[in-house]
Amino acid sequence: MRPLLASGGMASEFGSFDLNREQIVPSGGTITVWIGPLSPGKYKIFDDFNPGTTGWIEVSKAPKDAQSCLGH
Amino acid sequence: MFGALIIVFREVLEAALVIGVVAAAVKGLPRRGRLVGTGITLGVAGAALVASGIDVISGFAHGTGQELFEAGVLAVAGLMLAWHNLWMAEHGREMAARLESLGSDVTAGREPVTMLVVVTALAVLREGSEVALFLYGIAASGVKDTSLLIGGLLGLACGAAVGYVLFAGLSRVPLKSLFRVSNVIILFIAAGMLARGAQFLVQAGYLPALIPNVWNTSWLVAGGGVMGRSLGALVGYTPRPSLTQVLVWGGALAVIGVPMLVKGRRARVTATGAVPLAMAALAVMAGGLVTSLVHAADYKVYAPTVVKGETELEMRAFNSWGVGPLSGARRAVKFAAGHTFTNWWATEV
């Protein structure tokens, strides 16, 4: 749903066991990850190539209101 | 360094486990080591190619190229293993008998050779491309941190070592039961590969998830840990599978496993006994599918009853929202008129 950008000249692998997704982000490229409609809750996401990079996708009532935050 | 070690180890582990099992499963094949080497070389070459062309692959088919690629690799490897198992069900006993009487120098035919090389190559290709991207990223980022590269190489060595331990352990299983043990493991690996391949098609929106997360066992075995990854490689474990994934897994187990039981005379299931077994398995599958459709709630269930002389006027409408590139938000309304002329014939316009 939301494009992701891998910066810093390194490829990443977007992953989430909660969402059952894994997809490589080429270095400097963007990918689109199709998710949802999700039931409300928090879904953990991470970069498989960078253990420090994790985040949550939080779904409040409607799937439209999905918010994601990614931190180090 | 430790981080890099873990990352590479996890990726290599999955491939190593698969290779360990298939290499042990073709005991008695001449020049087994060289064939595994050929498979690994082909896989590494392919992985480098995939890693360098990841931009192209990613952009292919409206950005779903990666999923199609993963699904394709998993499907080919899974079908190859399924084929091997069915072949072994037919020839495994004579192979074991010949091995026992002649020692290990037996020509087993072409089939296991193809399987061994192709499955090894595909396992290396799939996980290797990720390792290559990761290590290339480190090298290209200009970080003068050789410890990262060393960590990566150590991770590779550790993963390979685990695969070898599995291979060595299986090889110690007495010949009489080795093929039975390895065939059961391969059955689960194949079902797991096909199910995960299906999940990639779900991810790309080519297949419906039916239910996105049927259950959640991440509290029991986390998907990212060594245990989770090993189970992922060996039985296709993911902590929150979609229903499509579960159904493909069960279906593959039934479709590959039942003929194995029928053909493996040791299992003492006669053909007549196996037919109800297969039918029961299919019935469970069909039941699962029907319940899932009911579960999915936005599907209409048509009762297969036809009553003579019934006239029907119907309006159906559906509303779908985007779960993939092929099914954006759509809305459609359909009218239908029908009449049943006999107790078994219904028409509809």
Side-chain angles (χ1 to χ4, degrees), chain A residues 20 22-24 26 36-37 48, chain B residues 10 55 66 203 240 245 323:
Chain A
N20 215 348
E22 53 177 299
Q23 200 170 344
I24 291 170
D48 219 11
Chain B
R10 285 190 313 207
D55 287 308
Q66 267 189 48
Q203 178 172 329
R240 300 179 72 163
Q245 201 176 343
V323 270

Side-chain angles (χ1 to χ4, degrees), chain B residues 187-205:
Chain B
L187 166 67
F188 279 92
I189 293 180
M193 281 180 167
L194 294 172
R196 288 168 98 196
Q199 180 55 32
F200 274 109
L201 293 182
V202 171
Q203 178 172 329

